[in-house]
Amino acid sequence: MAHGAAPAGTPAGAAPSARDAEAGATTVETLTMASALNLALADALASDDRVVVFGEDVGALGGVFRITDGLTARFGEDRCFDTPLAESGIVGTAVGMAMNGLAPVVEMQFDAFALPAFEQVVSHVAKLGNRTRGDLRMPMVIRIPYGGGIGGVEHHCDSSEAYYAHTPGLTVVSPSTPQDAYSLLRAAIASPDPVVFMEPKKLYWSTGPVDTSIAADLRRARVVRPGSDVTLISYGPSVPIALEAAEVAEAGGRSVEVVDVRTLTPFDDRTVMESVRRTGRAVVIAEAPGFASVASEIQARVFEQCFEYLEAPVRRVTGFDTPFASPKFEHWYLPDAERVLDAIETLHWEDQ
């Protein structure tokens, strides 16, 4: 195991899988998120000879979380291969490949392991399109497993999405379901511009139906649960927490809408603001520390665009402004349904 701006592309979505095209039919299966990501990579490799997959231990081992399991055996070492333990070198190599007509998909293994490559990402990956007035595009995907909930230690459970979302020229995506994991990754690989694909580690073993014919739009959030009293806005690992809180709140008489942001940047203001204008109340939920975060950006946007519709201040439920907790204490650090319900109850209800 290893050691511990041009506008971002916004294609309409991924093409149906190569397996579907060969069979002439839609494939619908119940898969884990890990299996859905593996299938998306396999279908992308099969349908586009430009796609290459590489990173630390992604070859014979199939990756720490087995996301690339079987890809080297099926497609060969030229298409899916291991690299030295050098994240900056991995991303730098991908930049050269993208400049010369390939579509690399690289894995950073764990969230904080990507930080040695951060200079490559912000100085070159995000800026080459703008620097060359669009003559050079960066059709590459940087896969980053992130977030807590697996009993890992520091450098293995960070939520670093704000660093990438703050960088113009990058599309930043985080799925919350196996279906979105498949469809959003296919769309990301098809994009002509760079995508940072944040994969919630604690959801790798969650299951759900995956229809390989469903295309995802990298520009759009999604209402995953309708409601009329309050909007819960979340993404990636915190969406199941929002849905759990919504179920409990409904039993107490609150009608709760849940919006899955899916793409952090470019941000889908339309879907989010339409929801908040309907409900008049909002809570933003994310695992990352709250200060200068994606959650604080969403909160600010809601205040700016929905102020006259709001019945109460927009609340945030986030991780704490501390380094990530040790495995024994991470359950105190991570947002849970109880904290979300407490935030909902502060939203100036008439029955209080």
Side-chain angles (χ1 to χ4, degrees):
M1 184 181 294
H3 68 72
T10 52
S17 70
R19 182 173 61 180
D20 296 341
E22 294 170 359
T26 296
T27 299
V28 181
E29 302 178 73
T30 298
L31 299 174
T32 64
M33 180 179 286
S35 296
L37 292 165
N38 178 270
L39 179 60
L41 291 170
D43 286 346
L45 285 162
S47 63
D48 188 346
D49 290 340
R50 300 176 308 133
V51 177
V52 291
V53 176
F54 57 98
E56 297 165 2
D57 295 329
V58 304
L61 180 65
V64 172
F65 297 100
R66 304 301 185 265
I67 306 302
T68 56
D69 189 37
L71 297 183
T72 299
R74 177 178 173 186
F75 296 99
E77 293 184 352
D78 290 339
R79 304 288 305 285
C80 181
F81 54 90
D82 291 330
T83 66
L85 310 184
E87 287 79 10
S88 182
I90 293 170
V91 175
T93 299
V95 169
M97 288 180 167
M99 291 173 66
N100 287 278
L102 296 177
V105 182
V106 301
E107 178 181 302
M108 292 287 98
Q109 197 170 83
F110 283 97
D111 26 61
F113 289 13
L115 298 182
F118 192 66
E119 190 275 334
Q120 290 278 359
V121 176
V122 299
S123 295
H124 304 300
V125 175
K127 293 182 172 64
L128 270 169
N130 184 69
R131 189 181 301 155
T132 62
R133 298 184 179 182
D135 289 339
L136 277 178
R137 308 296 285 271
M138 285 283 107
M140 61 182 288
V141 177
I142 302 172
R143 293 181 42 245
I144 303 178
Y146 84 114
I150 65 165
V153 296
E154 64 175 14
H155 298 113
H156 295 73
C157 290
D158 290 359
S159 293
S160 52
E161 61 268 28
Y163 301 141
Y164 303 102
H166 185 70
T167 305
L170 299 176
T171 293
V172 183
V173 177
S174 184
S176 67
T177 66
Q179 178 66 65
D180 276 352
Y182 178 88
S183 299
L184 288 170
L185 185 54
R186 292 299 310 276
I189 296 171
S191 172
D193 294 303
V195 179
V196 177
F197 200 86
M198 311 289 292
E199 299 171 5
K201 294 191 295 291
K202 74 177 182 181
L203 298 185
Y204 274 151
W205 300 277
S206 63
T207 61
V210 176
D211 183 339
T212 58
S213 70
I214 294 177
D217 188 338
L218 293 179
R219 299 165 296 187
R220 292 289 175 255
R222 186 165 64 95
V223 176
V224 295
R225 177 192 170 98
S228 58
D229 294 335
V230 57
T231 299
L232 303 184
I233 307 164
S234 193
Y235 57 87
S238 297
V239 173
I241 300 301
L243 290 169
E244 180 185 351
E247 289 285 345
V248 176
E250 182 180 50
R254 310 286 191 213
S255 176
V256 180
E257 184 150 295
V258 178
V259 177
D260 183 352
V261 171
R262 303 202 300 177
T263 298
L264 311 185
T265 180
F267 189 77
D268 181 6
D269 287 286
R270 186 178 71 183
T271 299
V272 173
M273 304 314 157
E274 285 178 352
S275 175
V276 176
R277 288 170 188 147
R278 285 196 305 271
T279 65
R281 297 175 175 87
V283 178
V284 186
I285 310 158
E287 281 191 14
F291 186 81
S293 63
V294 171
S296 57
E297 171 64 20
I298 295 172
Q299 183 184 42
R301 296 173 89 91
V302 172
F303 270 125
E304 289 172 351
Q305 300 179 50
C306 301
F307 182 77
E308 64 271 29
Y309 295 88
L310 293 174
E311 300 289 342
V314 180
R315 302 299 188 193
R316 287 179 298 161
V317 178
T318 69
F320 299 112
D321 294 329
T322 66
F324 191 83
S326 65
K328 186 176 181 179
F329 299 107
E330 71 171 356
H331 66 286
W332 295 109
Y333 178 91
L334 297 171
D336 59 15
E338 183 176 355
R339 287 176 60 193
V340 176
L341 291 166
D342 287 344
I344 290 174
E345 288 308 304
T346 71
L347 298 179
H348 298 183
W349 302 96
E350 293 180 359
D351 57 4
Q352 292 178 337

